[in-house]
């Protein structure tokens, strides 16, 4: 595409009729009214998009995907990528589109093209994405002589606005919409032929692919088409050209080059070299003395004959994530990958992992640090994120970077394309994007684009979103292909979320994406399910079983891949030593099932009477608050911290950081400290406690909590705490010793798993005492040997054999649990990217038939998580003459935030409301009047606390306490 001739000259050289040339030269693609005041002709946009695609090939695309495109394009992968990306909007060459804007339609009509009366019913509107496919299908079939190639290529055109229609949708809804008569047919043919020649193919027949991509690869390619289209649709960087004589291939390349530079876009490693020695990624890159389990995982990465799945199981604190990063370097270098996505179970666990990945990526080159994205809704409260991505270190005093575009989709507002549900960008954002940047690629911050960043850390939801039948799923999936995908704490996905994880593994397997799954407490049945899903994708079959051999020991690594069309599943064949010897953990009961937390508070106070650090993990926010208050009001003199999900964003970030600082590796710990937390402290929380007091939970999660106990070597401990000790609360003995659980625990986990956990604890701690019995302190109880007993305990907890004493009602509880699990599994199917019966299809045609219409992140959360829906609100306080933010910052009389620092402090008061308040909060909570003009605040809900500090929502008193977080009380 270096031809300096104008597109008009090029068409003349093709011997197109003058009339056809004149008409093609008038077709518009972007209207002046919605394109910065300047019309952009259709051929100009097609060439712009193709030129961007060329840069995606040169500067962004992984070596592995470039290789695949070269394979199917007979060595002309770059030109073919440019062609398929640019041809996406050819369907705008039809009356249904050209008539949308009367001002733009006038020159088209004047050139001799015409149309009759067009339907005005929105439901019958002939969409230009579908029109493009309808235009191309007969030509591709005829000129390619390959119906199969046409069948997988046309959905790429028809799906460029985020959804794939069925083939039946390609029939025009009205005789006039596609263009009747030889005039329109000649123009449409001329447009396609001229564009095809401009990108380097002699004719359309020469663009026929020599092979086909798998369906997963097609999905990734479709995402690249959307990416190229959105970049080329930015009028700030691609101003309109209304004279076809000013449009040329070379000119489009120059425009794309300048835009790419100003946007700061780039890929990741770009052809990463092989490490100079097998363990260098561990010893040199990460600076660790390799542990046996880490060596096992890295060696497996070296030995895989093809991209595959690795499942690493090792005890808590073993260094799995460092080993996974080292394995990712090996896999990326061997198979031509360009980056990494690390998926974490929660926002709280994503932040410390982001810091770790930042340091790791920086070791490849300091310029790569700015290519690491943090993907979760509260990232703006991560100081390191803001320093790098929002330019706080570079901005002047009082300045902010207006280009950060989380709450809306900038390039979604593609002139007439807003009919596809894409909101417009604020004016100040568009202006900011026009400035040249030396920092990170802000473009990737837009909605649905985060995974396109070369290196990303975020919640596992982003991986799950890429397995949902939702609009623009291809853009998310394109961000995964070309990366190594690491999923930490993979056991944390419940059966509903697991359906999306399994679906993601099927698609990633088919796309040849290496995946590393990490867990300390993975049930064998889940390990087998993950292997089967990945192999099903690799082999393109709905029913694949690669039986996983029983590992020789724990830690272990399982590898799954396919060779010559046959599945292979292998596990560690020799015992791999854990980095620390197993030691006895004393397990005892603390019989307590009350909300007041008095028994737990008393036990915590007693445990640290002579010094030490106690971690209390409970299953309910109200209970955590009560325990904290019982300690505070009881005069506890040591450090006391509370951590749960109902703190506002700023306070939660501060408290998490504080706890990590005081209890992390090498920390100078206070003499006496109690940290009371909910499940936020359950996993990927690198803290070290002397004593653990925990509510009963399923055994795998109970063991995860025990993983915070005596975690770090070299920690100084009082003499009384030289042996790790855990007290299990949240349950008491009832009739015939049958456990009585906290209602919240039963609601979260189900009775069957709690019964089995209680039975396993009772094996070492003795019979469950009644409420009010004095805790034995663990001394009278027995021990679990950790980590040696971990896999056996998890396998038994999720096995078939009954564990509970007669009279506990285990069989009934199991039936109830299984019935609910079956319903939840079935509920997930409605949103999965493909249904099982559709997995064997070879094209994307009809993928979105009856698909989910979820758009907003909140709606996506509801798609991939099966819990009760909840809302967030911004806490503000009403005072005389106006409002304040939760931290006391004064707002205007109508709630106005006078500058961006005030907005930051205001949004720091964002808090998630309990699910029981959702219905009423949706009706009653709205933005303050002074927020309407602000792009971030206009969509927020204000929780306005009166001068007494309380509001009433859904029949509940709701307040916010700086020490306790959101407090909810019954009236």
């Amino acid at each position: 595409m270096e031809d300096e001739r104008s597109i008009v000259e090029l068409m003349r050289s093709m011997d197109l009729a003058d009339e056809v040339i004149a008409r093609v030269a008038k077709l518009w693609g972007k209207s002046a009214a919605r394109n910065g005041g300047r019309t952009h002709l259709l051929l100009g946009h097609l060439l712009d998009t193709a030129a961007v695609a060329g840069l995606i090939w040169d500067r962004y695309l992984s070596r592995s995907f470039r290789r695949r495109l070269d394979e199917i394009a007979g060595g002309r992968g770059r030109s073919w990528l440019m062609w398929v990306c640019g041809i996406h909007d050819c369907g705008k060459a039809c009356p249904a589109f050209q008539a949308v804007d009367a001002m733009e339609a006038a020159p088209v009509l004047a050139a001799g093209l015409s149309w009759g009366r067009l339907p005005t019913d929105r439901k019958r509107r002939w969409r230009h994405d579908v029109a493009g496919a309808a235009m191309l299908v007969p030509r591709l079939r005829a000129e390619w002589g390959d119906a199969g190639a046409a069948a997988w290529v046309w959905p790429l055109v028809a799906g460029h606005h985020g959804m794939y229609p069925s083939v039946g949708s390609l029939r025009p809804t009205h005789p006039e919409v596609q263009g009747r008569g030889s005039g329109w047919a000649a123009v449409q043919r001329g447009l396609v032929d001229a564009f095809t020649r401009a990108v380097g193919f002699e004719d359309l027949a020469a663009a026929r692919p020599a092979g086909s991509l798998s369906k997963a690869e097609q999905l990734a390619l479709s995402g690249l088409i959307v990416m190229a289209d959105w970049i080329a649709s930015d009028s700030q960087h691609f101003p309109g050209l209304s004279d076809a004589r000013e449009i040329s291939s070379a000119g489009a390349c120059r425009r794309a080059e300048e835009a790419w530079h100003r946007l700061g876009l780039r890929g990741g490693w770009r052809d990463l070299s092989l490490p100079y020695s097998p363990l260098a990624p561990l010893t040199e890159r990460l600076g660790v003395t390799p542990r046996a389990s880490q060596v096992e995982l890295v060696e497996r990465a070296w030995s895989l004959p093809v991209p595959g799945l690795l499942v690493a199981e090792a005890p808590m604190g073993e260094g799995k994530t460092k080993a996974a990063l080292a394995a990712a370097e090996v896999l990326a270098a061997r198979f031509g990958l360009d980056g990494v996505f690390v998926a974490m179970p929660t926002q709280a666990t994503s932040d410390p992992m982001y810091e770790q990945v930042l340091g790791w990526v920086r070791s490849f080159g300091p310029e790569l640090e700015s290519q690491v994205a943090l993907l979760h809704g509260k990232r703006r409260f991560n100081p390191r994120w803001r320093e790098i991505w929002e330019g706080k270190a570079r901005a002047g005093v009082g300045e902010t970077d207006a280009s950060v575009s989380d709450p809306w989709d900038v390039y979604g507002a593609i002139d007439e394309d807003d009919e596809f549900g894409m909101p417009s960008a604020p004016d100040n954002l568009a202006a900011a994007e026009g400035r040249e940047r030396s920092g990170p690629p802000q473009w990737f911050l837009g909605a649905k684009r985060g995974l396109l960043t070369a290196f990303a850390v975020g919640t596992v939801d982003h991986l799950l979103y890429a397995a949902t039948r939702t609009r623009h799923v291809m853009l998310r999936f394109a961000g995964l292909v070309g990366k190594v995908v690491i999923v930490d704490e993979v056991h944390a996905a419940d059966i509903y979320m697991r359906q999306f994880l399994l679906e993601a593994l099927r698609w990633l397997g088919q796309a040849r994406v290496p995946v590393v799954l990490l867990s300390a407490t993975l049930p064998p049945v889940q390990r087998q399910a993950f292997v089967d899903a990945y192999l099903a994708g690799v082999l393109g079959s709905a029913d694949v079983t690669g039986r996983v051999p029983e590992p020789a020991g724990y830690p272990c690594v399982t590898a799954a891949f396919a060779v010559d069309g046959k599945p292979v599943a292998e596990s560690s064949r020799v015992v791999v030593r854990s980095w620390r010897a197993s030691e006895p953990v004393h397990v005892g009961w603390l019989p307590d099932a009350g909300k007041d937390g008095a028994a737990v508070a008393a036990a915590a106070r007693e445990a640290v009477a002579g010094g030490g650090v106690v971690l209390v993990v409970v299953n309910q926010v109200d209970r955590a608050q009560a325990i904290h208050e019982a300690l505070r009001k009881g005069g506890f003199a040591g450090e006391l911290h509370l951590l749960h999900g109902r703190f506002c964003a700023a306070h939660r970030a501060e408290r998490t950081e504080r706890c990590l600082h005081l209890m992390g590796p090498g920390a100078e710990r206070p003499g006496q400290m109690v940290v009371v937390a909910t499940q936020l402290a359950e996993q990927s929380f690198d803290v070290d406690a002397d004593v653990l007091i925990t509510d009963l939970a399923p055994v795998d999660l109970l063991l995860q909590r025990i993983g915070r106990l005596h975690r770090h070597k070299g920690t100084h401990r009082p003499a009384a705490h030289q042996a790790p000790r855990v007290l299990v609360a949240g349950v008491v003995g009832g009739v015939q010793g049958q456990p009585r659980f906290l209602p919240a625990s039963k609601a979260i986990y189900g009775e069957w798993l709690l019964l089995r956990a209680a039975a396993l604890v009772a094996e070492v701690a003795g019979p469950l005492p009644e409420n009010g019995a004095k805790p034995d302190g663990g001394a009278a109880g027995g021990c679990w040997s950790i980590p040696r007993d971990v896999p056996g305990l998890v396998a038994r907890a999720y096995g078939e054999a009954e564990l509970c004493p007669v009279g506990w009602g285990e069989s009934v509880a199991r039936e109830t649990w299984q019935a609910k699990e079956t319903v939840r599994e079935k509920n997930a199917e409605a949103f999965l990217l493909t249904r099982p019966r559709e997995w064997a299809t070879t094209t994307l045609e009809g993928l979105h038939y009856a698909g989910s219409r979820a758009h907003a992140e909140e709606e996506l959360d509801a798609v991939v998580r099966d819990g009760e829906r909840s809302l967030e609100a911004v806490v503000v306080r009403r005072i005389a003459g106006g409002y304040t933010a939760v931290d006391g910052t004064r707002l205007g009389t109508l709630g106005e935030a006078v500058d961006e620092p005030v907005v930051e402090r205001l949004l720091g008061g964002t808090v998630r409301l309990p699910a029981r308040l959702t219905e009423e909060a949706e009706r009653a909570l709205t933005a303050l009047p002074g927020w309407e003009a602000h792009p971030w605040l206009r969509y927020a809900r204000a929780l306005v606390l009166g001068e007494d500090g309380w509001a009433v929502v859904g029949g509940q008193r709701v307040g916010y306490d700086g020490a306790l977080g959101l407090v909810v009380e019954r009236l």
Side-chain angles (χ1 to χ4, degrees):
M1 269 185 65
E2 298 299 329
D3 195 335
E4 293 286 354
R5 291 178 296 173
S6 76
I7 196 69
V8 173
E9 293 173 304
L10 177 66
M11 287 192 285
R12 286 175 180 154
S13 73
M14 296 170 60
D15 294 328
L16 292 179
D18 289 343
E19 182 182 58
V20 172
I21 294 173
R23 290 173 174 176
V24 171
K26 294 300 182 183
L27 296 173
W28 64 277
K30 307 286 179 184
S31 69
R34 312 189 75 170
N35 193 57
R38 300 178 64 175
T39 301
H40 194 31
L41 294 178
L42 180 54
L43 270 171
H45 176 58
L46 300 190
L47 291 175
D48 286 344
T49 307
V52 171
L55 292 175
I56 288 175
W57 177 281
D58 296 337
R59 317 271 178 83
Y60 178 82
L61 210 56
S62 68
R63 185 173 78 239
S64 62
F65 207 68
R66 295 198 307 268
R67 186 187 305 125
R68 281 294 292 138
L69 291 178
D70 265 337
E71 288 172 0
I72 65 103
R76 302 183 69 183
R78 185 179 189 273
S79 295
W80 197 82
L81 177 65
M82 294 169 71
W83 178 82
V84 77
C85 287
I87 203 67
H88 76 285
D89 256 355
C90 67
K92 288 184 175 178
C94 72
F97 182 85
Q98 293 296 308
V100 166
D101 187 296
M103 292 290 292
E104 305 295 349
V108 179
L109 292 168
L113 290 172
S114 62
W115 48 83
R117 183 167 182 170
L118 298 171
T120 57
D121 183 1
R122 189 179 184 87
K123 292 182 180 179
R124 298 184 62 205
R125 182 175 297 177
W126 186 232
R127 295 167 33 146
H128 72 262
D129 48 358
V130 177
M135 183 188 304
L136 286 174
V137 164
R139 289 200 62 186
L140 298 184
R141 288 172 177 168
E143 296 176 47
W144 285 1
D146 185 346
W152 72 263
V153 170
W154 75 253
L156 302 177
V157 175
H160 79 264
H161 276 297
M163 300 182 71
Y164 302 103
S166 62
V167 69
S169 302
L170 303 188
R171 292 188 293 270
T173 57
H174 186 277
E176 292 287 341
V177 292
Q178 187 75 349
R180 290 202 288 182
S182 59
W184 274 107
V187 164
Q188 291 165 353
R189 186 178 190 89
L191 175 84
V192 171
D193 290 346
F195 168 75
T196 300
R197 179 73 65 86
V199 297
F201 291 101
E202 183 64 23
D203 53 29
L204 190 59
R208 179 178 68 88
S212 62
L213 297 175
S214 69
K215 185 161 65 174
E217 292 167 330
Q218 293 168 35
L219 189 66
L221 174 57
S222 181
L224 296 176
I225 293 171
V226 175
M227 177 181 176
D229 181 26
W230 285 12
I231 293 172
S233 295
D234 173 18
S235 63
Q236 292 290 324
H237 300 298
F238 294 87
L241 297 174
S242 57
D243 187 338
R245 292 170 296 182
E246 299 176 358
I247 296 172
S248 68
S249 299
C253 288
R254 286 190 290 270
R255 284 154 60 92
E257 182 74 44
E258 182 179 353
W260 191 274
H261 174 69
R262 294 175 72 190
L263 289 169
L265 303 178
R266 59 159 292 162
W269 283 308
R270 311 303 297 148
D271 303 324
L272 182 66
S273 299
L274 285 169
Y276 73 88
S277 72
L279 294 182
L282 279 170
T283 58
E284 303 298 323
R285 181 81 59 202
L286 291 163
V288 302
T289 300
R291 297 166 178 169
S293 63
Q294 295 174 320
V295 172
E296 174 79 355
L297 181 57
V298 173
E299 288 182 344
R300 283 284 177 173
W302 279 108
S303 67
L304 282 177
V306 292
L309 172 71
L310 297 174
V311 184
E313 299 170 63
M316 297 71 73
E318 185 78 14
K320 293 186 291 296
T321 53
K322 281 187 169 64
L325 294 176
E329 179 182 350
V330 173
L331 294 168
R334 292 187 62 217
F335 300 122
L337 289 312
D338 199 44
V340 168
F341 173 53
V342 183
M344 302 299 294
T346 63
Q347 293 179 2
T349 57
S350 297
D351 284 337
M353 181 56 62
Y354 172 64
E355 295 283 349
Q356 185 171 335
V357 172
L358 271 179
W360 175 67
V361 168
R362 194 186 307 116
S363 71
F364 293 96
E367 74 283 358
L368 291 178
E369 181 183 63
S370 62
Q371 309 300 313
V372 184
L374 177 60
L375 305 181
H376 66 65
K378 300 296 183 298
R379 64 187 177 192
R380 64 185 302 109
F381 301 105
N382 182 295
R384 194 76 180 96
W385 160 266
R386 297 195 57 185
E387 178 186 339
I388 295 172
W389 282 81
E390 297 189 17
K392 296 304 177 187
R394 297 184 299 275
V397 176
E399 293 181 0
T400 58
D401 190 343
S403 67
V404 179
S405 51
D406 278 4
W408 61 88
D409 188 350
V410 184
Y411 301 98
I414 301 175
D415 54 73
E416 286 62 33
D417 300 342
D418 70 344
E419 67 188 80
F420 300 99
M422 303 175 181
S424 297
D427 293 339
N428 64 337
L429 177 61
E433 284 289 357
R435 298 194 303 266
E436 184 171 344
R437 313 186 167 280
S438 59
Q442 305 283 347
W443 188 86
F444 290 127
L445 295 185
K448 309 171 187 176
R449 290 175 250 162
L451 284 175
L452 292 169
T453 318
F455 306 97
V457 179
T459 55
V460 71
D461 303 61
H462 291 272
L463 174 61
L464 306 184
Y465 296 158
T468 60
R469 203 178 318 116
T470 48
R471 174 162 279 144
H472 293 118
V473 65
M474 70 287 290
L475 201 61
R476 301 179 191 278
F477 193 74
L480 296 172
V481 174
K483 287 184 175 67
V484 179
V485 174
I486 299 171
V487 186
D488 201 4
E489 311 287 5
V490 70
H491 59 272
D494 61 22
I495 192 168
Y496 183 87
M497 295 172 65
R498 204 177 307 138
Q499 304 314 303
F500 298 100
L501 180 55
L502 294 171
E503 179 74 354
L505 289 173
R506 283 188 280 268
W507 284 84
L508 293 172
Q510 189 174 86
R512 309 181 188 188
V513 174
V515 178
V516 183
L517 306 180
L518 307 176
S519 177
T521 54
L522 188 65
V525 67
Q526 289 186 31
R527 180 201 305 138
Q528 183 68 60
F530 295 147
V531 166
D532 289 346
Y534 190 86
L535 290 175
V538 172
L539 298 173
S541 173
D543 301 305
V544 174
T545 299
R547 192 185 68 80
V548 178
E550 185 68 26
Y554 177 76
C556 64
V557 176
T558 299
F561 51 91
V563 176
D564 298 328
K566 296 180 180 178
V568 178
E570 301 172 344
S571 285
S572 299
R573 291 184 289 273
V574 296
V575 175
V576 178
R577 291 182 299 104
S578 176
W579 73 277
R580 64 179 179 185
S582 291
E583 61 178 332
V585 174
H586 291 275
V587 181
W589 290 113
L590 173 55
D592 168 65
K595 270 192 175 184
D596 62 9
V600 172
R605 186 183 298 106
E606 181 181 341
V608 295
V613 175
V614 171
L615 174 63
V616 178
V617 182
V618 296
N619 298 338
Q620 187 180 22
V621 173
D622 294 348
R623 182 165 156 84
Q625 291 172 328
I627 294 168
H628 177 276
E629 283 299 270
L631 283 164
R632 186 178 66 84
K633 291 179 179 178
F636 177 66
E639 286 236 17
L640 179 61
H641 297 278
L642 178 62
L643 184 62
H644 58 69
R646 277 195 227 150
F647 278 111
C648 68
H651 291 167
R652 177 169 160 180
E654 291 166 2
R655 281 156 174 73
T656 301
E657 185 177 0
R658 178 68 176 163
C659 290
L660 290 170
H661 174 73
L662 291 173
M663 299 173 67
E668 290 290 332
R669 308 197 308 171
Q672 289 182 315
M673 181 164 70
V674 175
V675 176
V676 183
T678 57
Q679 293 92 331
L680 293 181
E682 190 168 81
Q683 53 202 0
S684 296
F685 192 57
D686 193 12
V687 297
D688 185 336
D690 298 321
V691 178
L692 171 70
I693 302 176
T694 173
D695 279 348
L696 185 71
V699 161
D700 52 332
L701 304 182
L702 198 60
L703 290 167
Q704 286 288 340
R705 298 176 188 185
I706 292 174
R708 314 309 116 194
L709 190 59
H710 286 230
R711 184 180 179 91
H712 302 137
K713 280 189 175 180
T715 300
H716 175 72
R717 305 183 198 281
H721 300 313
Q722 292 303 303
R725 186 161 50 101
V726 56
L727 294 175
V728 180
V731 56
V732 296
V735 178
Q736 296 183 332
Q738 184 174 0
R740 289 194 294 110
F741 306 112
L742 288 165
S745 298
K746 286 179 64 174
I748 296 168
Y749 302 118
E751 186 177 21
W752 181 65
L753 290 177
L754 293 175
L755 285 171
R756 291 174 75 83
L760 289 171
V761 171
E763 288 180 357
V764 292
L768 182 59
E770 295 181 4
N771 194 25
K774 182 175 174 56
D776 60 26
C783 298
W784 281 337
S785 181
I786 303 296
R788 186 184 63 200
D789 289 346
V790 168
L793 287 167
V794 173
R796 291 180 66 199
Y798 287 90
E800 297 293 327
E802 289 200 1
L803 295 177
C804 302
V806 175
W808 281 22
E810 179 181 4
S811 59
V812 174
R814 181 187 183 115
E815 290 175 5
T816 301
W817 178 81
Q818 286 182 327
K820 289 182 178 178
E821 294 288 274
T822 300
V823 170
R824 297 181 69 204
E825 183 177 356
K826 190 71 176 175
N827 288 343
E829 287 185 11
F831 301 104
L832 293 179
L833 190 48
T834 48
R835 299 175 179 86
R837 64 180 181 276
E838 298 169 348
W839 179 243
T841 60
T842 57
T843 78
L844 298 172
E845 184 259 324
L847 187 68
H848 280 89
Y849 176 75
S852 167
R853 296 299 188 268
H855 295 289
E857 293 295 300
E858 295 82 4
E859 292 173 301
L860 280 172
D861 288 344
V863 168
V864 300
R865 292 182 182 264
D866 194 32
E868 293 182 280
R869 197 166 52 87
S870 61
L871 295 178
E872 289 187 333
V874 179
V875 179
V876 295
R877 303 183 189 278
R878 190 189 304 276
I879 60 173
Y883 303 89
T884 69
V886 71
D887 68 351
T889 299
R890 185 66 185 260
L891 307 176
T893 56
L894 298 178
E896 302 93 333
V898 295
D899 55 28
E900 290 306 309
V902 173
V903 172
E904 295 295 332
R905 292 193 286 272
L906 179 59
L907 289 176
T910 303
V911 66
R912 186 163 293 279
L913 302 176
R916 63 182 182 270
L917 301 183
T918 298
E919 188 174 339
E920 178 61 24
E922 280 186 318
R923 287 196 300 265
L925 304 187
T926 61
L928 292 178
W931 296 357
E932 290 300 323
H934 195 283
W936 289 346
L937 298 177
R938 71 204 315 176
Y939 303 112
R941 300 175 188 274
L943 176 62
V944 181
L945 306 181
E947 294 186 39
D948 64 350
W950 294 92
V952 177
V953 181
Q956 310 272 309
R957 291 180 76 229
V958 182
Y960 191 86
D961 182 279
L964 295 176
L966 193 76
V967 178
V968 182
E969 299 178 353
R970 294 187 182 278
L971 285 174

